[in-house]
Amino acid sequence: MQSGFAPVLARYLRVCGLAVLFLAVSRAGAAQDTPLISGGGGFLTSTNGGNTTYTPIIEPLIDVPVGQKWLFESRAALLESFSPRGGGLTGYDHSYFAGLTYLQGDYLASSHLTVVGGSFLLPFGTYNERLSPIWIGNFQDGPLIANLGLMATGTGVGGEVRGNAIARHSYSIDYKAYFSARSGNQQFNSQRSSGGQASLYLPEKRLEVGLSYNRLLQGTHENFYGAHVWWEPANTAFRLRSEFARGHHAQGYWVEADYRTQAFGGLNSWVGRIEPVFRIQQTFRRDTLFSDGLPLVNTQRADFGLDYNLPHSIRILTSYARQFSSQGDRNIWETGVVYRFLFPAWKGKM
């Protein structure tokens, strides 16, 4: 385990060297644009079928502005997992992982267009780009359909354009379009694909509706379709999120709701920090080929969570899930403590 971890960590440190170089260039050329270091760290546990896995994890993120038009950003994941040995053996096995989630450069061409190059998160649905960081999601694990449309890696190596196509007082329309080349690099692995996403936002209703389409352009070409609906009513702490995805071999959906009351002293009271969460999800097989990371049989799952939002960006996550399928029903218990950090790389000029 240790020997396999060392080269991965070495590659990660080399890439971090690039980030340091970006920092130096930024400080020399535009001292008023202070880079930000943020991210999250946590300790997570998951009990599945009576076996408990322990995972300490840290996900650092860096944003490095260079002048008025350029932004370099990257996110990494470093974790170590301890799980019970199988086959009647006592004790725990452990594994390491260290690597970049993405590394990209953004050129802010105009108020309606941003050009992205490098290794970037694929724009499909909402989970991959907006909910996957550990300090954002309400549950430890992603939805069952999270892999659909993400070409096995969740990232692309190539280019992307994104921005706001239309902005009005009553509505706005955002767009994203990308092309990814095939890459066999262990750190920047991707498949040849293209696709995009469009979303409509109604600010008065605080309602967002979006459509996604991605196409695999290597091997057996496949199409992936997605749709999402997010709703956050004004003057409440209620959020409703949902997503549907369809691939060549399977399809499914998830719906998630969470709420915090403001009736007992506001969101920062001890009662207002309590956050009950519920998620229901289903997957449906279209054939028996297993190439998308979804369950091999039709599966239903209900997740019940109770999170607590402590001061100083600390969250306690707890959840219980019951999963139903023809391969057998099972219970999944998860707990964790997550901390969100954010600080400048150095003190900026006033």
Side-chain angles (χ1 to χ4, degrees):
M1 293 291 184
Q2 183 68 35
S3 59
F5 176 66
V8 175
L9 181 59
R11 283 190 294 271
Y12 172 70
L13 293 176
R14 284 198 296 269
V15 176
C16 284
L18 293 176
V20 173
L21 177 61
F22 291 147
L23 286 171
V25 173
S26 174
R27 190 171 190 178
Q32 73 276 15
D33 298 326
T34 303
L36 294 177
I37 298 174
S38 63
F43 183 83
L44 312 176
T45 74
S46 176
T47 302
N48 191 333
N51 296 316
T52 301
T53 299
Y54 304 91
T55 306
I57 180 174
I58 183 171
E59 290 187 354
L61 184 151
I62 185 169
D63 286 329
V64 184
V66 179
Q68 299 298 316
K69 293 288 188 178
W70 289 94
L71 174 68
F72 296 94
E73 55 181 312
S74 179
R75 192 174 91 214
L78 301 94
L79 62 90
E80 185 171 2
S81 180
F82 299 85
S83 57
R85 294 177 178 175
L89 299 176
T90 59
Y92 285 80
D93 287 325
H94 63 282
S95 59
Y96 308 94
F97 175 81
L100 291 177
T101 306
Y102 64 87
L103 173 65
Q104 66 185 55
D106 305 337
Y107 176 68
L108 310 179
S110 72
S111 59
H112 297 283
L113 173 65
T114 298
V115 181
V116 179
S119 173
F120 52 88
L121 296 176
L122 293 181
F124 187 87
T126 58
Y127 182 80
N128 192 40
E129 289 189 299
R130 296 160 66 174
L131 297 177
S132 59
I134 62 169
W135 64 90
I136 294 179
N138 289 322
F139 294 99
Q140 283 188 35
D141 52 353
L144 296 174
I145 65 168
N147 289 328
L148 278 182
L150 298 185
M151 313 304 165
T153 64
T155 57
V157 176
E160 179 187 27
V161 292
R162 60 195 306 157
N164 182 266
I166 301 174
R168 299 289 186 268
H169 177 73
S170 58
Y171 71 95
S172 64
I173 298 177
D174 292 344
Y175 68 91
K176 305 170 187 176
Y178 82 94
F179 174 81
S180 171
R182 181 176 183 175
S183 173
N185 183 281
Q186 185 174 357
Q187 188 61 251
F188 302 108
N189 191 16
S190 68
Q191 299 191 35
R192 192 170 185 266
S193 65
S194 65
Q197 184 180 92
S199 60
L200 169 68
Y201 180 65
L202 305 176
E204 293 182 356
K205 302 292 184 181
R206 295 174 62 89
L207 176 68
E208 178 184 337
V209 180
L211 298 173
S212 303
Y213 170 76
N214 286 356
R215 179 170 174 81
L216 179 64
L217 299 175
Q218 68 180 60
T220 302
H221 293 197
E222 299 179 11
N223 297 314
F224 298 89
Y225 309 90
H228 70 270
V229 176
W230 282 29
W231 182 45
E232 300 181 8
N235 303 317
T236 72
F238 173 79
R239 297 182 296 184
L240 179 69
R241 300 162 173 166
S242 64
E243 187 175 330
F244 168 82
R246 178 184 175 92
H248 192 72
H249 306 292
Q251 63 185 18
Y253 72 89
W254 60 267
V255 180
E256 178 180 313
D258 63 90
Y259 176 73
R260 293 174 61 184
T261 181
Q262 305 180 61
F264 300 94
L267 296 179
N268 290 324
S269 66
W270 72 270
V271 177
R273 296 182 185 276
I274 300 173
E275 185 176 10
V277 188
F278 174 71
R279 181 175 67 189
I280 187 170
Q281 48 187 328
Q282 286 186 280
T283 63
F284 307 92
R285 299 301 311 181
R286 302 183 64 195
D287 58 37
T288 57
L289 297 178
F290 183 68
S291 62
D292 48 28
L294 271 67
L296 281 171
V297 297
N298 295 347
T299 301
Q300 300 83 41
R301 177 168 166 172
D303 300 79
F304 305 88
L306 187 63
D307 301 341
Y308 194 80
N309 299 273
L310 291 166
H312 308 296
S313 301
I314 300 175
R315 301 180 72 202
I316 299 175
L317 310 179
T318 64
S319 66
Y320 163 75
R322 180 69 172 172
Q323 184 164 303
F324 306 89
S325 74
S326 60
Q327 292 182 331
D329 304 339
R330 57 177 177 168
N331 300 315
I332 303 169
W333 300 85
E334 295 179 333
T335 61
V337 178
V338 176
Y339 170 64
R340 170 74 192 276
F341 55 85
L342 173 65
F343 54 88
W346 53 73
K347 186 177 180 180
K349 292 184 177 181
M350 299 299 291

